[in-house]
Structure formats: C-alpha cells, structure tokens
Amino acid sequence: MSNFSVVSNDDDLKKLAHMACEIWHQHYFDILSFEQIEYMLNNFQSVNALKNQVNEGYEYYFIVDNNIYTGYLGIKKYPKHLFLSKLYIKKDHRGKGLGKKAIEFVLQRAKELGCDKVVLTVNKENVNSISVYEKLGFKKTDSIVTDIGAGFVMNDYIYTYFMSSV
C-alpha cells in the first residue's frame, strides 16, 4: 500500500537529501556528468537548499510503499498551476506503479489547490521518465535551456497536464 508522507522537519529534510544523493547517482549517471550531478545535488537537493525551497512554498513528500521509503516528490503552487519540481523513485522500486500513484497524488493535490494544470520540466535525455509522463497524459508544451551556473545547463522539455482532462 503506497502513501505519501509530508516532509515536515529537519530530520525529514536530512533523510530527503540523503535519498536524493542515492537516487540521482542511480538515475542520472548516463545522462549528466558526475560533476554536474554533484553540483545540482549541492545546489538544489542539499538540506539547506531544500529548507530554502520549503520557505519559498515548496511541499515535499516521501513516497512510502509497504512502510519502505521508496522515493520523494516536490511541488509548488503558483497562481494558476502546480509545478511538479521533483519526482524520484529509488532504482529497485521503479516499474511497480509508484510513479503513476505519485502523479495521481499530485493531480489530486492540484485539484485541492484549485490549479488548472500541472507543469514539470524533464531532461531531454530522460527518455524513460518522458515516456511515463506521456502515458499519464502530460503533453510536451515547450523546450528550455537554463543556465544553472558553473558552466552547467539544464536542457529540458516542459510538460503540462491540463486539469480539464481529469
């Protein structure tokens, strides 16, 4: 049975940062350089970065399956849409429908918050995640290259789920 546990304190943030390090090294090793993975973890997934994001309105949730912490997601509400900032599942728990359940949770949260769409960015080389998002009803709506500093960029597609399709 899957559920979603809100990240609510410093211990949770430490657990999340540790999980991010594990998952990112599993998932991005063939998409990004080791140096870029480390840079992004330090700047976007460290305890301090996560704390700052929570202070800016981000909500983080652990994905829990049969009492095992299998991944996490992060969202932020904007005036008319919900931004799915992060959705990561540990390698040995992928392919079990947890991503679909996480998206269903995000769509429910978007509905609760009165959003008319859910927007996310995904690395253009992340073909497995792109396939999952498309199967779940997300549409590619744009493309963006973002300079994140230190000579690194995020080369992403923007995908949108329009809530009218719920």
Side-chain angles (χ1 to χ4, degrees):
M1 160 113 192
S2 299
N3 63 39
F4 301 89
S5 172
V6 69
V7 174
S8 61
N9 58 44
D10 286 352
D11 286 341
D12 285 349
L13 289 173
K14 288 177 191 166
K15 184 186 292 186
L16 188 114
H18 178 75
M19 184 182 287
C21 185
E22 176 186 348
I23 292 172
W24 274 59
H25 283 285
Q26 291 173 343
H27 187 72
Y28 284 110
F29 73 94
D30 61 347
I31 296 174
L32 303 173
S33 69
F34 176 82
E35 293 78 14
Q36 183 164 350
I37 292 169
E38 287 296 306
Y39 179 83
M40 292 179 75
L41 285 169
N42 289 331
N43 286 279
F44 305 117
Q45 305 279 293
S46 67
V47 173
N48 285 338
L50 293 166
K51 216 180 263 195
N52 289 337
Q53 292 165 23
V54 168
N55 290 337
E56 294 168 5
Y58 282 81
E59 297 176 11
Y60 281 96
Y61 298 87
F62 289 113
I63 301 167
V64 185
D65 188 49
N66 293 318
N67 296 317
I68 299 170
Y69 285 73
T70 60
Y72 67 97
L73 63 89
I75 56 176
K76 183 177 182 187
K77 184 185 183 316
Y78 286 88
K80 294 214 174 217
H81 74 275
L82 188 68
F83 177 56
L84 174 55
S85 172
K86 297 167 187 76
L87 172 52
Y88 296 103
I89 298 170
K90 290 181 179 183
K91 186 176 185 174
D92 54 345
H93 294 278
R94 294 182 198 142
K96 299 178 179 179
L98 296 175
K100 180 180 181 187
K101 289 177 182 173
I103 292 296
E104 289 169 354
F105 173 81
V106 169
L107 296 177
Q108 180 59 41
R109 193 74 185 104
K111 191 184 289 187
E112 291 167 1
L113 294 169
C115 299
D116 62 3
K117 60 188 170 189
V118 175
V119 177
L120 62 86
T121 58
V122 59
N123 185 291
K124 291 176 183 173
E125 304 299 318
N126 194 347
V127 293
N128 291 335
S129 294
I130 289 170
S131 174
V132 170
Y133 292 134
E134 289 178 348
K135 284 179 189 169
L136 295 175
F138 283 81
K139 306 289 183 217
K140 186 187 327 176
T141 52
D142 209 345
S143 170
I144 187 169
V145 177
T146 307
D147 183 337
I148 58 171
F152 299 118
V153 298
M154 293 190 310
N155 188 15
D156 295 332
Y157 290 124
I158 298 172
Y159 272 79
T160 305
Y161 185 97
F162 298 94
M163 296 301 290
S164 58
S165 50
V166 173

